[in-house]
Amino acid sequence: MSVVGITKVAKRYGRVTALEDVSMTIADGEFFGLLGPSGGGKTTLLRSIAGFIDPDDGEISIDGKPVKNIPINKRDIGMMFQNYALFPHMTVTDNIGFGLSVRHRPKAEIEARVTELLRLVRLEGFGERKPRQLSGGQQQRIALARALATNPRVLLLDEPLGALDKKLREEMQFELKQIQRNVGITTVFVTHDQEEALTLSDRIAIMSEGKVLQIGAPRDIYERPRTRFAAGFLGTANFFEGTVSGREGGLTRILLAGGTAIFTRDEAPEGRSVTIAVRPEKFTVGGATPAPASDAQVNRIAGRIAGEVFAGNSVTYRIDAAGRIVTVYMQNRMTERLGPDAPVTLTWDPAHSIVLED
Amino acid sequence: MTALVSASTRRLRAILGLTGGTYLVLLITILLPLAAMLYFSFLTVTPIGGRTASFTLKHYTDIFTKPLYRVNGQRSLMLGFQVTLICFALGYPAALFLARHIKNRWREALLLLIVLPFWSNGLVRTFSWTMVLTDSGLVGQALQAVWPGAPSIDLMFSYPAIVIGLVHAYLPYMILTCYVSLQAIDDSLAEAARSLGASSFTIFRRITLPLSLPGVVAGTVLIFVPVLGSFMEPRILGGQQAIMLGTLIENQFTASFNWPLGAALGFTMLAVVILIMGICYPVLKKHLSAN
């Protein structure tokens, strides 16, 4: 179990910058997600930790010791590849035992460890099969068992569930998390799937264009995204651009282009142009004539239903309000349907108006 | 029940219709001539030109009793093993290098160079060697000019000359079959092995080599079988060493007009090849069942 330190790591390919000034510390036993679009640099970072890529600048350390001069096969890492990379000519047992066998461990020890791991991934009795005789989910679990066999200091997962279909992926998310918890191994994984990142990670680093945009617990990043990109990549967000026009009663007043004013708890200097993000599920949709404004501490804007997507338990509304289209998620609990063009009032708590940095 | 029958009949008809043409061609071009030769091998004389032939086992008993055939059979087998082994020793590293370290257009260019000899006539290629493997040829003279007193490269009419000619002719088969196998191995397998602690040598021994074995086997079969029956290279480059199973067979057909003996020798050789494959099969099956 180990701590992984990444300090000011950079990597360039010709004129393309794959990593730029990347720093983070992954705590002992943590399940750490690298989330971002393809080409964002997350795989480059993972392969740099593994040793397949040598960064141009910066330092990567495991347990405080720089790993730059340690070759891949001496780094003591467990890596699971996107396509699993199981050895097709070996049985499941030989695949899992490979790491121990190249370390010349005694046969009995290898056998015991393989049995233990097969039990861990719930595939006892599959030891004599060849990889091609297994389903995708089973192959994935064998790949995980193989990566864990040598008790590595760090487990690296490259798009661990990317090759599975949706239903299997949900099952394996749960299982992967469970196994990681039981083993307690420091784990770094790469994904472009926001749901996977949210469910698996203790903490997430959002990466784009080689840079780290935000690091934090899934809930923190979701509730307090710092940038437009982070807000849009992890979940969905509505953006309101406006100018700060004063502070009253613990709230900051933002004047939107159309003249509508909205409020936020966040502070911002007067006169600055800012972008506000509001998550679609934070809105409440009411009738055209709202209840009297007994509570001034609420944002309230008028709008019109522009579209509706019905998904059974929830409904997504597209509402034309304050000169833009606002996306709103609602639980399917209303007694009446909101027809097209129906006038509505959107209300939300100023605490849910997040001032972004860009 | 009737539906079932008609379905299976239709299936059978479809199979016959689709594969029938191929089997007809195989029948006419391979099976019938082979059957004719098998028939000839049991005759006393070649039944052409009004001669009457009768049934005999003499050719086969001769082959297994007369030392001439046994000795030359052994020489041909030895030649087959040696040429195949040298082709593997040269071709496998070349294929590995090509598959791993050469990229894109360079790779295409090199592959083209490898198959280039196939575009020239085999006889011309073999005769070209007679100009190289002698001290009075272009290469020999050039070498003497640059390095007076250089060791003789005159290998003409010797066993090594036969081996050189055959290796040159068959090396591309080994390179190409090994290349195809090696190139199909996913790079991530080597990366996975490395991340699990394997050294480069271990990766080669436990991952790359076993996974490329099908290519090695294909190359070996493609080389060993024709070398066993080769007659052109031994005849042109071998001189005194030229007597091999292949040249013996050729002699029966071209010089001695003893087709039955030639056919019997040919079938004995075929039996030897099948026997060798049969012995190797269990080992190969174990290693090749992976993919």
Side-chain angles (χ1 to χ4, degrees):
Chain A
M1 311 309 119
S2 306
V3 178
V4 179
I6 293 156
T7 320
K8 293 185 178 299
V9 165
K11 179 73 191 174
R12 283 170 291 274
Y13 294 104
R15 284 159 63 196
V16 182
T17 304
L19 291 176
E20 191 183 333
D21 194 23
V22 171
S23 296
M24 60 184 77
T25 304
I26 296 147
D28 192 24
E30 192 170 35
F31 205 147
F32 194 90
L34 298 173
L35 174 68
S38 49
K42 52 198 191 324
T43 300
T44 309
L45 184 61
L46 192 82
R47 291 176 66 82
S48 299
I49 300 172
F52 292 114
I53 291 173
D54 191 19
D56 298 328
D57 278 314
E59 187 183 272
I60 295 173
S61 65
I62 299 177
D63 284 337
K65 291 190 203 78
V67 293
K68 188 172 174 56
N69 294 319
I70 304 175
I72 305 157
N73 51 336
K74 307 276 180 218
R75 267 191 199 192
D76 206 4
I77 44 148
M79 181 147 176
M80 200 173 100
F81 292 77
Q82 192 170 3
N83 63 355
Y84 312 138
L86 294 173
F87 307 130
H89 58 303
M90 295 185 195
T91 60
V92 163
T93 299
D94 291 342
N95 262 285
I96 298 177
F98 187 85
L100 293 167
S101 134
V102 299
R103 283 169 175 75
H104 305 290
R105 309 304 303 177
K107 254 198 165 126
E109 183 194 321
I110 299 177
E111 228 165 81
R113 181 75 177 134
V114 169
T115 312
E116 184 189 339
L117 284 161
L118 280 175
R119 196 177 315 122
L120 180 75
V121 298
R122 298 190 295 112
L123 284 174
E124 297 114 312
F126 285 72
E128 288 317 303
R129 298 212 192 172
K130 291 276 177 70
R132 77 197 140 98
Q133 295 167 309
L134 304 175
S135 72
Q138 291 167 337
Q139 288 184 18
Q140 201 252 5
R141 282 184 273 169
I142 296 304
L144 181 64
R146 185 179 69 175
L148 290 170
T150 56
N151 273 320
R153 296 191 292 176
V154 181
L155 180 64
L156 305 173
L157 313 172
D158 187 2
E159 299 272 0
L161 308 173
L164 302 177
D165 59 49
K166 190 171 157 41
K167 191 166 153 34
L168 199 55
R169 194 156 58 216
E170 281 164 10
E171 270 175 50
M172 286 307 299
Q173 271 175 16
F174 181 74
E175 193 150 336
L176 190 59
K177 179 124 188 165
Q178 193 77 30
I179 290 172
Q180 195 268 347
R181 278 276 167 284
N182 292 345
V183 179
I185 186 170
T186 309
T187 305
V188 184
F189 82 105
V190 155
T191 182
H192 65 270
D193 184 302
Q194 49 151 313
E195 191 202 316
E196 205 170 293
L198 284 171
T199 39
L200 288 175
S201 320
D202 296 323
R203 279 196 306 152
I204 298 174
I206 294 192
M207 295 188 70
S208 172
E209 290 170 357
K211 287 188 276 259
V212 176
L213 298 181
Q214 192 168 358
I215 298 177
R219 183 178 289 260
D220 293 345
I221 298 185
Y222 186 82
E223 300 290 358
R224 304 290 316 166
R226 276 217 301 264
T227 60
R228 223 182 151 109
F229 183 87
F233 200 79
L234 198 69
T236 307
N238 294 293
F239 299 108
F240 298 90
E241 290 92 5
T243 316
V244 181
S245 73
R247 194 161 167 84
E248 49 197 65
L251 296 177
T252 307
R253 200 175 120 97
I254 316 280
L255 203 58
L256 304 185
T260 318
I262 60 173
F263 297 91
T264 172
R265 289 245 183 99
D266 298 359
E267 289 183 42
E270 194 164 340
R272 180 192 282 186
S273 302
V274 292
T275 303
I276 302 286
V278 184
R279 296 288 186 192
E281 70 279 10
K282 308 293 188 191
F283 296 103
T284 310
V285 179
T289 47
S294 59
D295 183 7
Q297 301 278 71
V298 160
N299 283 304
R300 182 173 286 114
I301 55 176
R304 210 165 259 290
I305 303 275
E308 159 191 66
V309 178
F310 180 71
N313 62 344
S314 69
V315 188
T316 302
Y317 287 108
R318 315 273 289 158
I319 293 170
D320 187 355
R324 76 204 61 238
I325 295 291
V326 178
T327 303
V328 176
Y329 298 157
M330 288 192 68
Q331 290 295 308
N332 184 12
R333 282 201 300 232
M334 285 179 300
T335 43
E336 291 172 53
R337 265 189 74 182
L338 294 167
D341 275 338
V344 291
T345 308
L346 282 179
T347 54
W348 74 96
D349 193 300
H352 293 140
S353 302
I354 309 144
V355 178
L356 301 177
E357 284 174 2
D358 57 348
Chain B
M1 206 52 205
T2 45
L4 247 171
V5 171
S6 74
S8 67
T9 326
R10 231 183 306 136
R11 205 174 130 76
L12 196 68
R13 255 186 229 151
I15 290 171
L16 276 176
L18 288 170
T19 59
T22 316
Y23 281 118
L24 196 69
V25 171
L26 284 177
L27 183 77
I28 292 169
T29 58
I30 295 179
L31 286 177
L32 284 180
L34 267 182
M37 276 299 148
L38 188 64
Y39 169 65
F40 281 4
S41 72
F42 291 105
L43 298 180
T44 47
V45 290
T46 317
I48 292 175
R51 281 186 285 185
T52 46
S54 54
F55 176 83
T56 179
L57 282 172
K58 184 173 173 297
H59 307 304
Y60 286 101
T61 50
D62 277 358
I63 289 168
F64 287 102
T65 50
K66 289 193 178 169
L68 169 76
Y69 302 112
R70 204 187 61 239
V71 168
N72 283 301
Q74 279 169 355
R75 276 165 57 82
S76 276
L77 277 176
M78 208 29 142
L79 183 73
F81 284 127
Q82 283 172 351
V83 169
T84 309
L85 201 68
I86 295 172
C87 282
F88 171 72
L90 295 176
Y92 192 87
L96 192 63
F97 189 72
L98 210 58
R100 284 292 143 82
H101 301 290
I102 310 283
K103 293 273 177 285
N104 308 328
R105 285 169 66 188
W106 278 106
R107 186 187 276 189
E108 282 166 31
L110 284 172
L111 278 173
L112 191 72
L113 284 177
I114 287 165
V115 293
L116 210 57
F118 284 151
W119 297 358
S120 63
N121 180 285
L123 199 60
V124 174
R125 241 185 304 144
T126 311
F127 268 113
S128 308
W129 276 106
T130 62
M131 285 186 280
V132 177
L133 299 173
T134 157
D135 283 333
S136 54
L138 257 178
V139 178
Q141 281 177 357
L143 186 68
Q144 291 291 342
V146 183
W147 180 13
S152 169
I153 56 159
D154 197 345
L155 290 171
M156 271 310 288
F157 309 126
S158 69
Y159 185 78
I162 303 176
V163 174
I164 290 174
L166 284 169
V167 166
H168 175 237
Y170 288 104
L171 185 60
Y173 290 108
M174 186 61 89
I175 297 181
L176 290 178
T177 54
C178 290
Y179 169 77
V180 169
S181 276
L182 284 166
Q183 200 235 4
I185 301 174
D186 193 335
D187 289 341
S188 66
L189 294 183
E191 288 187 345
R194 194 170 289 278
S195 76
L196 289 165
S199 63
S200 298
F201 177 71
T202 307
I203 293 172
F204 176 75
R205 190 172 58 84
R206 296 190 53 181
I207 311 291
T208 313
L209 188 61
L211 285 174
S212 62
L213 217 52
V216 178
V217 170
T220 301
V221 172
L222 282 178
I223 294 170
F224 182 74
V225 175
V227 166
L228 205 57
S230 65
F231 56 89
M232 193 172 70
E233 288 85 354
R235 176 138 297 164
I236 297 170
L237 302 170
Q240 293 288 325
Q241 301 290 321
I243 305 163
M244 296 271 167
L245 210 52
T247 51
L248 273 177
I249 296 172
E250 188 218 3
N251 263 336
Q252 306 312 316
F253 283 94
T254 57
S256 317
F257 202 62
N258 192 350
W259 286 21
L261 178 59
L265 279 167
F267 275 101
T268 309
M269 204 176 81
L270 183 65
V272 169
V273 169
I274 292 173
L275 190 71
I276 292 173
M277 300 275 168
I279 292 168
C280 298
Y281 182 71
V283 186
L284 291 178
K285 193 176 170 234
K286 185 167 159 271
H287 285 286
L288 298 184
S289 61
N291 311 310

